[in-house]
Amino acid sequence: MTKFLLSVHVLAAILAVGSITVAASMFPRYALRALGGGGDVEAADDRAPGIAALLHRVCRAYAVAGLAVPVFGIATAVQLDVLTDAWLIASLILTVIAAGLLALVILPRQRALLGRAADASDPARGARRAAARLAMLTGIFNLLWATVTVLMIVRPGSTTGA
C-alpha cells in the first residue's frame, strides 16, 4: 500500500504542481502582452489574452488537483511512520505557505490582470509593475516547491534512509 500511496503522491506532485509552476511562470508575460503594456519586446499580441486566460485556468484547475499531493503525502507518511519527523513537518509548513500564496495572492492577482485587460479604459496603466510583482510572487511560490522537493528527497535527519 505504501508504494501505491507514494506513487500517487509523486505523480500528483509532478503533474499538478509542475503544471502550476510552468503556467503561473508564463502568465505575467502573456498578461502584459494582452495589456499592451510591455514595450517593444512584449508588444500587444492578438493571441495573448486567450493564452493568459488559458494559463490562469490551468493554474486554477491544477490547484484543485494539487490537493491530492498533501493528501497522499500524509497518507504515505502515516504508512512509513514518519509523520512527526522534522523534514516532513517543515515540508508540510512550506506546502501550506505555497498553497496560501497561490490561492490568496497569485490566483487573485492573475484574475485582476485578466480583468484589467478586459477593461477598455487604459488597461496598460501600471501593468508592468503589476506583472513584475506577480512574477516575483510566482518565483517565490516556485522556490517553496523546490525546497519541498529537496526536503522530500534528502530527508535530513531521517532514520528511514535516503
Side-chain angles (χ1 to χ4, degrees), residues 2-3 6 15 19 21-22 42 50 68 72 74 99 104 129 139 145:
T2 303
K3 289 180 182 180
L6 182 59
L15 295 174
S19 298
T21 58
V22 171
E42 305 293 333
F72 282 93
I74 290 169
L104 302 174
R129 182 174 47 220
W145 279 115

Side-chain angles (χ1 to χ4, degrees), residues 8 23 77 82 107 128:
V8 173
V82 295
L107 292 175
R128 181 173 284 287

Side-chain angles (χ1 to χ4, degrees), residues 100-151:
L101 184 61
L102 179 65
L104 302 174
V105 181
I106 293 172
L107 292 175
R109 288 190 184 198
Q110 284 182 349
R111 195 170 27 257
L113 277 174
L114 287 174
R116 192 184 273 192
D119 183 12
S121 64
D122 197 17
R125 188 178 50 111
R128 181 173 284 287
R129 182 174 47 220
R133 285 184 180 158
L134 181 58
M136 177 196 66
L137 292 165
T138 300
I140 292 168
F141 172 82
N142 293 343
L143 285 173
L144 288 167
W145 279 115
T147 304
V148 169
T149 302
V150 170
L151 285 171

